[in-house]
């Protein structure tokens, strides 16, 4: 099941990645550097508003998956309805609170040379679309818990192709490009809710039938769990999107355009890497719910190793020959785009090593200590980064040096926190996950010294062949290697 789900996710990713790269180029051509940078700033504000959405996806998935793991259909229905009621309230609250706060931020902190009235319109439309998307979160959580990856994968593919098509049209057509672009993005944001609702009503009618749950205890459990998950979501999104706001404060929308391009690349690469974790995540939760500790530990180690190796695999061109890639990809490369991309990839690689750990912690439900310690460090990186920019008058890339430093601290702290809250076998995680990926990274660094004497195409070809050999003979254990050879041999015989 994990292998099939992974295949579906990677097919989806191949389409989305190509569409995403072209979509970024077309968006930059259609809007221009300044307007594209502006939209990235507004998108950051919307992402802050959508923090609750990010929190609740994890929460919905966890509670529904636990009930499914215990094979309790009635409990799964109750948990779904508890989450649905909470999300409807969240959507209403978001519109009531976010609009005035967002407009205040735009007036006092957004730097833009054009029509500020248009900026407010862009924010209004994007905020309402984000609020509507909240209602689809419990349905998304149910699909993940049921491992129906084909449904939201096909939805994501359709959204990507629609965005690509309309953004391409925008280059040579229409006058008010930023407004039209905003409405297209808003429509694509709200679209999945309709698809997920229709599918779940048809396939999981017993689970999604409306039942008003009167037990306040269940709402309290979800809200408490969400509050601690929220610490992590605020830290993660604050770090990712806060960088754009800090860059805008000190350097303006032109440098924001470079960061927006870098974020697009980083987002695509992380999506590719997270596919490995996403297909394993429901199995971790269900294994824990069934009391299968050994399988749960194995899956955590597998998720961590697979996520890092996948992230490294797709990052190779941007690490070795970023100038060549950007020269082919973009007609006009914004300032700092290459440098930001390199640093964001390094930061993401450090974080990806512990990909399966968070799923295990969420499954246990003992997340308070973990979230407070780990994410306090992440929040500190934003504060320190801002102070470095404000007091030191450093170049823009110094912000990401600060982020990388704190990401390294988080990496070293996580295993100690994990031992404190559970009986997890950390040494097994070190042996089966940490050591292989560190060794592969160290051995791969040899290619950076050979890069100046190799042709670009030859360099990439050698890099991928060398990396695949490293994964095969260093990262994989004998039983994993035997399984892989068996699968490949079976396919070739067919």
């Amino acid at each position: 099941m994990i292998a099939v789900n992974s295949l579906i996710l990677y097919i989806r990713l191949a389409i989305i990645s190509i569409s995403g790269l072209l979509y970024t180029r077309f968006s930059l051509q259609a809007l221009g550097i300044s307007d594209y940078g502006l939209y990235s700033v507004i998108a950051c504000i919307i992402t802050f508003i959508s923090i609750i959405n990010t929190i609740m996806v994890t929460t919905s998935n966890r509670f529904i998956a636990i009930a499914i793991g215990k094979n309790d259909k009635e409990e799964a229905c109750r948990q779904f309805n508890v989450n649905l009621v909470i999300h409807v309230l969240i959507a209403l609250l978001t519109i009531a609170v976010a609009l005035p706060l967002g407009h205040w931020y735009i007036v006092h902190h957004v730097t833009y040379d054009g029509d500020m009235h248009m900026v407010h319109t862009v924010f209004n439309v994007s905020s309402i679309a984000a609020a509507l998307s909240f209602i689809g979160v419990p349905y998304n959580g149910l699909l993940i818990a049921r491992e129906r990856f084909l449904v939201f994968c096909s939805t994501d593919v359709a959204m990507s192709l629609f965005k690509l098509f309309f953004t391409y049209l925008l280059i040579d057509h229409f006058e008010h490009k930023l407004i039209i672009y905003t409405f297209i993005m808003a429509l694509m944001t709200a679209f999945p809710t309709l698809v997920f609702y229709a599918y779940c009503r048809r396939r999981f009618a017993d689970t999604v039938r409306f039942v008003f749950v009167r037990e306040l205890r269940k709402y309290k459990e979800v809200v408490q769990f969400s509050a601690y998950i929220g610490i992590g979501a605020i830290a993660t999104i604050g770090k990712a999107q806060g960088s754009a706001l800090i860059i805008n404060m000190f350097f303006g929308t032109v440098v924001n355009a470079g960061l927006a391009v870098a974020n697009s690349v980083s987002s695509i690469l992380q999506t590719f890497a997270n596919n490995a974790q996403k297909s394993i995540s429901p199995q971790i939760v269900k294994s824990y719910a069934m009391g299968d500790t050994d399988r749960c530990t194995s899956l955590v180690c597998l998720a961590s190793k697979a996520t890092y190796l996948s992230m490294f695999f797709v990052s190779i061109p941007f690490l070795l020959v970023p100038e060549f890639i950007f020269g082919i990809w973009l007609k006009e490369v914004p300032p700092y785009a290459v440098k930001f991309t390199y640093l964001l990839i390094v930061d993401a690689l450090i974080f990806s090593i512990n990909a399966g750990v968070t799923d295990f912690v969420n499954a246990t439900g003992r997340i308070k200590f973990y979230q407070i310690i780990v994410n306090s460090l992440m929040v500190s990186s934003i504060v320190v980064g801002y102070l470095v920019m404000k007091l030191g008058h450093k170049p823009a890339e110094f912000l990401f040096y600060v982020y990388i430093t704190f990401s390294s601290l988080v990496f070293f702290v996580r295993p100690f926190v994990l031992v404190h809250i559970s009986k997890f076998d950390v040494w097994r995680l070190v042996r089966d996950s940490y050591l292989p990926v560190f060794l592969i990274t160290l051995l791969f660094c040899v290619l950076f010294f050979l890069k100046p004497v190799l042709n670009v195409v030859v360099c990439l070809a050698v890099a991928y062949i060398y990396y695949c050999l490293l994964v095969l003979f260093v990262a994989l254990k004998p039983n994993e290697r035997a399984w892989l050879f068996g699968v490949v041999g079976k396919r070739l015989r067919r």
Side-chain angles (χ1 to χ4, degrees):
M1 179 61 73
I2 291 176
V4 173
N5 289 334
S6 296
L7 178 62
I8 293 172
L9 288 166
Y10 281 118
I11 292 173
R12 159 217 181 226
L13 182 65
I15 299 172
I16 288 178
S17 297
I18 296 171
S19 300
L21 293 173
L22 293 173
Y23 157 74
T24 301
R25 173 175 178 161
F26 295 156
S27 299
L28 194 56
Q29 285 182 254
L31 300 180
I33 290 178
S34 182
D35 279 0
Y36 184 69
L38 169 68
Y39 187 83
S40 73
V41 174
I42 298 298
C44 291
I45 300 173
I46 299 301
T47 304
F48 277 122
I49 294 171
S50 303
I51 260 181
I52 301 175
N53 191 13
T54 305
I55 297 166
M56 296 304 293
V57 168
T58 304
T59 304
S60 298
N61 180 25
R62 189 262 177 187
F63 279 93
I64 295 172
I66 288 290
I68 292 173
K70 294 178 179 178
N71 200 28
D72 190 338
K73 294 182 179 180
E74 287 301 317
E75 179 62 15
C77 177
R78 287 192 293 269
Q79 290 294 348
F80 174 84
N81 280 281
V82 166
N83 281 276
L84 181 61
V85 169
I86 291 174
H87 276 81
V88 171
L89 295 175
I90 288 172
L92 297 174
L93 185 63
T94 297
I95 295 175
V97 175
L99 290 180
L101 290 178
H103 287 299
W104 172 85
Y105 183 88
I106 290 171
V107 170
H108 291 89
H109 295 289
V110 171
T111 304
Y112 181 60
D113 296 330
D115 182 7
M116 291 302 294
H117 176 72
M118 182 172 62
V119 179
H120 289 280
T121 302
V122 170
F123 176 75
N124 288 338
V125 173
S126 302
S127 298
I128 293 171
L132 290 175
S133 71
F134 293 169
I135 301 174
V137 170
Y139 297 95
N140 191 5
L142 175 59
L143 291 173
I144 294 174
R146 289 287 187 182
E147 300 182 61
R148 298 301 176 93
F149 292 99
L150 183 61
V151 180
F152 63 80
C153 284
S154 57
T155 304
D156 285 348
V157 167
M159 286 172 54
S160 296
L161 295 177
F162 276 128
K163 286 198 294 186
L164 181 61
F165 174 72
F166 285 115
T167 307
Y168 178 74
L169 286 182
L170 206 59
I171 296 175
D172 297 318
H173 300 84
F174 308 108
E175 292 183 7
H176 305 290
K177 296 181 185 294
L178 182 57
I179 296 295
I180 295 173
Y181 182 85
T182 300
F183 274 99
I184 293 171
M185 297 303 106
L187 179 62
M188 292 300 100
T189 300
F191 173 69
T193 297
L194 300 176
V195 176
F196 297 159
Y197 171 81
Y199 182 88
C200 290
R201 292 293 297 178
R202 182 176 180 182
R203 295 291 184 180
F204 307 120
D206 290 342
T207 304
V208 302
R209 74 182 191 278
F210 183 74
V211 175
F212 184 71
V213 180
R214 300 180 183 276
E215 301 171 66
L216 293 179
R217 176 181 56 83
K218 292 190 177 294
Y219 293 94
K220 184 179 178 181
E221 287 176 354
V222 172
V223 171
Q224 284 181 338
F225 187 87
S226 302
Y228 294 124
I229 289 291
I231 298 173
I234 291 170
T236 302
I237 294 176
K239 176 181 173 182
Q241 307 303 331
S243 58
L245 302 181
I246 293 172
I247 291 295
N248 181 257
M249 288 180 188
F250 294 100
F251 301 98
T253 55
V254 173
V255 179
N256 269 113
L259 180 56
V261 170
N263 277 327
S264 297
V265 174
S266 178
S267 176
I268 291 171
L269 299 182
Q270 288 185 68
T271 301
F272 188 99
N274 289 338
N275 277 345
Q277 178 191 2
K278 187 175 288 186
S279 60
I280 301 173
S281 177
Q283 293 290 329
I284 293 175
V285 178
K286 291 176 183 177
S287 296
Y288 184 85
M290 291 186 290
D292 192 344
T293 306
D294 185 66
R295 183 170 187 267
C296 187
T297 304
S298 298
L299 289 172
V300 170
C301 297
L302 177 62
S304 298
K305 181 168 66 175
T307 303
Y308 180 90
L309 294 176
S310 299
M311 180 73 189
F312 202 107
F313 179 84
V314 293
S315 301
I316 287 174
F318 295 97
L319 293 173
L320 282 179
V321 289
E323 295 83 1
F324 174 75
I325 299 298
F326 275 88
I328 293 177
W329 174 32
L330 299 177
K331 186 175 181 180
E332 182 181 2
V333 182
Y336 286 95
V338 174
K339 193 171 294 184
F340 285 162
T341 300
Y342 189 89
L343 295 173
L344 284 174
I345 288 173
V346 172
D347 188 62
L349 281 170
I350 295 171
F351 253 89
S352 67
I353 304 176
N354 279 315
V357 171
T358 303
D359 290 322
F360 176 81
V361 174
N362 290 344
T364 66
R366 301 177 62 189
I367 62 174
K368 180 179 179 179
F369 183 75
Y370 176 86
Q371 293 288 355
I372 290 174
I373 297 298
V374 170
N375 294 298
S376 293
L377 288 172
M378 291 180 62
V379 171
S380 298
S381 70
I382 307 170
V383 177
V384 174
Y386 172 78
L387 293 176
V388 167
M389 292 291 102
K390 186 174 180 64
L391 302 177
H393 303 289
K394 301 290 185 182
E397 67 266 23
F398 268 69
L399 174 63
F400 299 100
Y401 292 143
V402 174
Y403 280 7
I404 290 171
T405 300
F406 275 87
S407 294
S408 301
L409 289 174
V410 170
F411 167 75
F412 286 110
V413 166
R414 267 179 168 166
F416 294 101
V417 178
L418 191 57
V419 170
H420 178 79
I421 65 172
S422 71
K423 296 180 180 180
F424 188 86
D425 188 355
V426 171
W427 291 114
R428 185 174 175 182
L429 180 64
V430 172
R431 183 185 68 247
D432 293 349
S433 182
Y434 292 173
L435 289 180
V437 301
F438 284 154
L439 186 56
I440 283 181
T441 304
L442 186 63
L443 293 172
F444 188 86
C445 287
V446 174
L447 290 181
F448 288 98
F449 297 100
L450 298 176
K451 171 186 168 183
V453 299
L454 295 176
N455 174 274
V456 171
V457 177
V458 174
C459 182
L460 288 176
V462 170
Y464 273 111
I465 293 172
Y466 181 51
Y467 181 76
C468 289
L469 291 174
L470 288 176
V471 171
L472 193 60
F473 294 105
V474 177
L476 298 183
K477 294 187 291 186
N479 63 318
E480 294 171 341
R481 193 160 51 246
W483 176 84
L484 180 62
F485 285 152
V487 170
V488 173
K490 186 177 180 181
R491 297 297 181 213
L492 290 176
R493 286 193 295 273
R494 285 184 178 179

